[in-house]
Amino acid sequence: MAADDSVVLVVEDEPDVAETYQLWLETEYEVRRAADGDQALASLDERVDVVLLDRMMPGLSGDDVLEHIRTEELDCRVAMVTAVEPDFDILEMGFDAYLSKPVRSEQLRETVANLLERSAYDDLLQQYYALVEKRATLDATKTRAELANSDEYERLSAEIERLRAELSETIGGIGDDEEFVTAVRELDDDE
Amino acid sequence: MYDCSGVLGVDELATLEPGRTLLVVGPTAGTDELVRAFLADGLVRSEGAVGITTADPAGAFVEDLAARTDTFEGLAVGVLDCEGDGDRESEQLDSGAYLTHVGSAAALTDLGIGITKTIDRLETAGYDRARLGLTDLATMLAASDEQTVFKFCHVLASRLGSAGLVGLFAVDAETHDARTIQVLRQAVDGAIEVREVDGAWTARVRGLSGEPSEWLAL
């Protein structure tokens, strides 16, 4: 039984490897499996949060699947799984993270958790903007006296402060280059 | 701490904590001047400078920074502009300064990757202390929307926070209403307000300590 309703799609042509990833992840997440690129496209929908993508597959390649995800603006994070250290910039390629084979259990779980956390950051940022925007509108339309007596305004301000702290502390903000580029790419996708 | 008092002689800027980002609000001529002075002030103190210019070419921006410093160290400078032809392109000048051109102020992923590479490059050159100046958010607001620009500011400020850099983001107060400015202020740590008094630029800092600082000449 999954502890989280997040969905991880494992795209891997070697059944044993895919089976192993599923065993490691399925106690926490809902796991879908695709044995090649075409199956991956068929399994992708708006419920998928993280894709673990083997780059070298017969047929439709990992790069093709990634391109589909980016052009269709699917809201999911993509980790490339590769047998060799990439000699190119994974951020430029459009990946959010990479894992080199053989992948260890702990490493796989950490990467998935980290990518989900980045989605949580974006959701919080969205909520934060909505509240800041609401307060600014109140500021522009009400008098100081009206605002001083408004319980709604007080609650709004308290909520803004709470989210502000949560964005910087709980989620840990934007810690490195990969997190930064993922967050910015998310903005491009939202437009 | 960063000593940015060369820009404006107020306590808040003399001891600016690493990771702080401020919005610079006022007429473009004044905010642009302040951002450039802020970067040049860092160069004089052997800090790196990352410039993001949405209106001017990066090369002209670098020349302006060089003109503001007695001994110019190009390796300390990286500037991004929005004068590219679609793909992100980089070039290194003879001075060592590193330029990156992105297609437009709305090409945020390209801008983000460019900023990342520029900061990494400065670190490799030994500049782990650096300032970032962006001029002007008005162009970005015109190219996308308030919500996207707000989020971009928060994400970039957050990255500067974890990297221990300090940043200024200029926004033209004449083309945007007070509501938008107030929204953007919540994406960063505080603000510097710029205004013209008798033909000279004055400024004050708000939001870093309890009370606004006094107005001082730039």
Side-chain angles (χ1 to χ4, degrees), chain B residues 13-165:
Chain B
L13 292 186
T15 54
L16 189 63
E17 279 177 46
R20 294 288 193 188
T21 297
L22 305 175
L23 198 66
V24 185
V25 184
T28 304
T31 58
D32 197 56
E33 169 61 28
L34 195 145
V35 166
R36 290 166 190 248
F38 166 75
L39 294 179
D41 180 53
L43 290 174
V44 169
R45 298 170 200 270
S46 299
E47 294 163 6
V50 179
I52 304 167
T53 160
T54 57
D56 288 340
F61 195 91
V62 172
E63 280 171 27
D64 181 54
L65 289 184
R68 289 166 186 263
T69 48
D70 289 339
T71 51
F72 180 69
E73 179 53 74
L75 282 174
V77 178
V79 177
L80 299 97
D81 68 20
C82 300
E83 309 245 319
D85 60 5
D87 287 330
R88 178 167 37 81
E89 300 153 19
S90 295
E91 57 178 309
Q92 189 158 22
L93 302 181
D94 291 341
S95 66
Y98 189 72
L99 310 188
T100 302
H101 313 284
V102 301
S104 83
L108 297 181
T109 305
D110 273 347
L111 192 55
I113 293 177
I115 292 168
T116 293
K117 288 185 178 288
T118 302
I119 293 174
D120 288 350
R121 206 193 122 274
L122 289 184
E123 278 176 4
T124 307
Y127 295 96
D128 44 2
R129 284 171 60 84
R131 305 181 183 190
L132 181 146
L134 187 162
T135 174
D136 184 295
L137 292 177
T139 318
M140 299 182 69
L141 285 163
S144 57
D145 56 63
E146 178 188 281
Q147 175 168 314
T148 303
V149 174
F150 172 87
K151 289 180 177 178
F152 180 79
C153 288
H154 191 280
V155 168
L156 181 54
S158 186
R159 180 70 190 110
L160 296 181
S162 62
L165 273 52

Side-chain angles (χ1 to χ4, degrees), chain A residues 89 91-92 121-122 125-126 128-129 132-137 139-140 153 160-161 164 167-168 172-177 179-181 183-191, chain B residues 88 106-113 115-117 120 143-148 150-156 158-159 162-163 179-180 182-190:
Chain A
D89 193 320
L91 297 176
E92 301 229 20
Y121 173 87
D122 187 67
L125 192 52
Q126 176 62 41
Y128 181 56
Y129 170 76
V132 162
E133 200 276 333
K134 194 171 171 186
R135 183 169 70 177
T137 302
D139 278 327
Y153 190 79
I160 286 171
E161 284 316 306
R164 191 181 174 87
L167 273 165
S168 63
I174 301 288
D176 59 27
D177 289 346
E179 287 181 11
F180 174 63
V181 173
V184 172
R185 181 177 287 127
E186 183 84 20
L187 302 181
D188 258 350
D189 290 349
D190 285 348
E191 279 185 79
Chain B
R88 178 167 37 81
L108 297 181
T109 305
D110 273 347
L111 192 55
I113 293 177
I115 292 168
T116 293
K117 288 185 178 288
D120 288 350
S144 57
D145 56 63
E146 178 188 281
Q147 175 168 314
T148 303
F150 172 87
K151 289 180 177 178
F152 180 79
C153 288
H154 191 280
V155 168
L156 181 54
S158 186
R159 180 70 190 110
S162 62
R179 200 197 60 87
T180 298
Q182 201 199 338
V183 167
L184 292 176
R185 269 190 61 168
Q186 298 301 315
V188 296
D189 300 301

Side-chain angles (χ1 to χ4, degrees), chain A residues 27-44:
Chain A
T27 50
E28 285 183 79
Y29 314 109
E30 181 183 327
V31 179
R32 295 182 191 175
R33 274 165 58 181
D36 59 35
D38 292 301
Q39 279 189 29
L41 295 193
S43 307
L44 272 167

